[in-house]
Amino acid sequence: MGAIPPNNVPCLSTLRGTAIFASLTAEEDNELLSRCHTRNLCAGESLVDFEDLSKDVFVVQSGEIRAVLRFTVGKEAILGTFRRGDLLGELSAIDGLSRSASLMAVTDAVVTVIPYAVFHDVLEAHRDVCLGLMQLLSRRIRAMNERISELSFLDTKHRLYNALLRLSRLRGDGGRERIISPPMVHAELAEHIGSSRETVSREMSRLIREQVIERTSRAIILKNPVELSRRISRALEG
């Protein structure tokens, strides 16, 4: 089962901060952790590769993990970014097929590794965990449908506006401004929307001139997110 010595258990964080495991009691959480182990990753290190045959499930405890599909050298699509409390790798554990994407650490990261057999034991024993997993998959399908809609109905610049809104969070000072921190480089934004770095750079420069966004060393600031939403709405109506 991949059990580890009890004196290693305290280094693992609780799994109850992850939505699908929220219903577990403290005792059940500790029992599950005793059958798991941690993995420490350096920035840029691979967690799993595309078409890898492993079936383990992962919970991010710290840092940031990204799911990517690589088409050719230098060409990849970002499928999602995962942070503390996020579950990933569940598809292979469910259907038994090879990995559908590569998982790579964007920053130094720590993950809890839940072995395949342990994950299935938990699903069999806890109805609420199964329900939580179905809800997670449902949210991800809805998000995927939104991305497909973007590609179908929005041109490049409006996909960029949508990505800026989706990737940002409220600044937290009570205003309407949103931020992306740390700031994403243009090549990374281009990967999110299926475009080129040059196209994104031109449009970002235009948004800065129009004072819709601002870029600092620490963040991309959406100074007027309402205007970005308005432009997307007009594009969809037109």
Side-chain angles (χ1 to χ4, degrees):
M1 291 294 194
I4 58 173
N7 61 359
N8 283 343
V9 174
C11 69
L12 295 169
S13 300
T14 178
L15 293 178
R16 290 194 294 166
T18 302
I20 76 163
F21 299 121
S23 63
L24 297 179
T25 66
E27 291 75 18
E28 290 167 338
D29 186 38
N30 287 333
E31 193 278 333
L32 173 57
L33 285 173
S34 73
R35 301 172 66 191
C36 302
H37 62 277
T38 54
R39 182 168 169 187
N40 298 295
L41 300 165
C42 297
E45 186 177 350
S46 175
L47 179 57
V48 296
D49 291 321
F50 175 64
E51 295 190 335
D52 190 291
L53 296 178
S54 65
K55 304 293 187 292
D56 296 338
V57 178
F58 310 100
V59 173
V60 182
Q61 298 294 351
S62 66
E64 187 173 300
I65 306 291
R66 179 175 296 155
V68 298
L69 270 180
R70 291 188 176 90
F71 300 101
T72 60
V73 176
K75 295 288 186 181
E76 62 183 34
I78 298 175
L79 302 182
T81 300
F82 303 88
R83 300 179 179 86
R84 179 173 174 80
D86 285 337
L87 183 86
L88 59 162
E90 74 288 341
L91 289 184
S92 290
I94 293 171
D95 62 22
L97 300 179
S98 60
R99 300 292 186 181
S100 60
S102 297
L103 299 174
M104 182 192 72
V106 180
T107 65
D108 290 350
V110 177
V111 300
T112 297
V113 182
I114 306 175
Y116 170 84
V118 176
F119 186 65
H120 276 264
D121 285 349
V122 175
L123 293 181
E124 290 175 7
H126 298 278
R127 178 181 178 278
D128 287 345
V129 174
C130 290
L131 179 59
L133 179 60
M134 288 190 290
Q135 291 171 340
L136 172 66
L137 294 174
S138 178
R139 289 193 298 272
R140 290 183 178 172
I141 290 171
R142 290 176 185 275
M144 181 178 65
N145 289 342
E146 290 177 6
R147 296 290 293 275
I148 292 172
S149 296
E150 283 182 30
L151 292 170
S152 300
F153 301 115
L154 295 175
D155 59 16
T156 301
K157 69 178 182 181
H158 291 96
R159 292 204 304 273
L160 174 61
Y161 302 164
N162 209 42
L164 290 172
L165 291 168
R166 183 176 67 248
L167 296 167
S168 64
R169 65 179 188 274
L170 283 172
R171 195 166 189 177
D173 57 2
R176 295 185 177 182
E177 292 184 352
R178 302 180 66 86
I179 64 169
I180 300 173
S181 180
M184 299 175 69
V185 298
H186 292 173
E188 191 175 352
L189 283 169
E191 290 165 1
H192 272 277
I193 65 172
S195 183
S196 68
R197 179 189 60 79
E198 293 78 11
T199 300
V200 168
S201 295
R202 283 195 299 271
E203 189 57 32
M204 291 289 284
S205 295
R206 189 164 76 88
L207 291 173
I208 290 171
R209 289 196 303 272
E210 294 173 345
Q211 298 184 345
V212 177
I213 68 171
E214 176 184 343
R215 188 181 183 98
T216 70
S217 61
R218 302 183 65 179
I220 296 173
I221 303 167
L222 279 57
K223 299 185 71 64
N224 194 345
V226 173
E227 175 59 21
L228 290 177
S229 297
R230 187 179 297 119
R231 293 182 184 186
I232 294 169
S233 295
R234 286 201 299 265
L236 290 172
E237 291 169 0

